[in-house]
Amino acid sequence: MTTPQDIIRPDVLAMTSYPVPDATGLIKLDAMENPYSLPADLAERLGAHLAGVALNRYPAPRPADLLAKIKRKMQLPDACDVLLGNGSDELISMMSVACSKPGAKVVAPVPGFVMYEMSAKFAHLEFIGVPLRPDFTLDADALIAAIDEHAPALVYLAYPNNPTGTLYDDTDMARVIEAASKSLVVIDEAYQPFAGRSWMPRAAEFDNVVVMRTVSKLGLAGIRLGYMAGRPSWIMQFDKVRPPYNINVLTQATADFLLDHLDVLDAQAADLRAQRAQLAREVAALPGMTVFPSAGNFLLVRVPDAAVAFETLLTSRVLIKNVGKMHPLLTNCVRLTVGTAEENAHMVAALKKLAPN
Ligand SMILES: Cc1ncc(COP(=O)(O)O)c(C=O)c1O
């Protein structure tokens, strides 16, 4: 008789699945989703558009029209090719697989996006995390020293970073790119709609850079679509490890339709940027709370006790993310997704319960 214990890798046996809490009945402010849905008339037209999709056919593996439209609408450089992923999670996974030569390494600032490390481990790459400074700015000297020491295959720079919200200094970014001349630097712009700055226009300028984005934070987390722009020589290699039909027909058709209505999603992002500023002001005014500057649709906040804050908000039906145990630098930190004005007001009212009387 065979059991999973006989077959599965020991490190996988020891893992737990990626935790996603049940948000039923809660105000969901834990995962940086856009809280707005599509306007009803647009949703109806999208429905009609999707009704015409051939569900009996496999999707186009490299949908030329959609790729061209993404390039045009998202203003990707002409000299770049584009690779699509089932979320940028899948792009990260493809890069890990394609780079997993024996002994290959990945370097990234920590605390950072957890999938860089998880995906590296899945593909047997060694992950080296380089701590940010206590104020969550990039320690470029330490990162460059780690790059020199480890000669990693991949260096991730989330611009801005999750869960800290930091938008790294552009001079530091340029120094890291230069120092990593023997690595591929992946600039992850998942939160670009809220950042106001981008390295995308320079994606083809360097021979060691790709720029990755997602539509998830823009309001389309459910369709799972990430895209990566870079020189054709890189994109061509990662495309080889892409599951052939990774972007399903409904996702392709939805993206194709909504790329003609980006103004709607852009307006929602603009609203959330304004909400972010207001939420930051209100939370910073509460006693005992430190709000870190954020260029994403979320705020990292240090509270007196992150576990108590999480539970207190939960009793007020607000689900946030307690990141306090993710990394020593994040002790007693929680991450608050920016929601609608009403959701944010509810969250602030709940946070007030934490204030000492
Ligand atoms: C920095 C960063 N990159 C990538 C992702 C993954 O995005 P996607 O939904 O496209 O898989 C996230 C999701 O939270 C993120 O924070």
Side-chain angles (χ1 to χ4, degrees), residues 32 87-89 113 116 158 162 188 190-191 214 216-217 224-225:
M32 286 84 82
S88 29
D89 284 347
F113 182 45
Y116 306 150
N162 168 22
D188 180 351
Y191 299 95
T214 175
S216 292
K217 315 301 170 181
R224 309 302 297 129
L225 184 67

Side-chain angles (χ1 to χ4, degrees), residues 251-288:
T251 294
Q252 291 193 21
T254 304
D256 176 54
F257 179 85
L258 288 177
L259 281 166
D260 289 330
H261 302 278
L262 273 181
D263 53 324
V264 173
L265 300 176
D266 287 343
Q268 293 177 348
D271 174 81
L272 291 169
R273 290 195 299 269
Q275 294 296 338
R276 172 182 68 198
Q278 180 167 347
L279 182 65
R281 272 194 305 276
E282 291 180 9
V283 177
L286 299 177

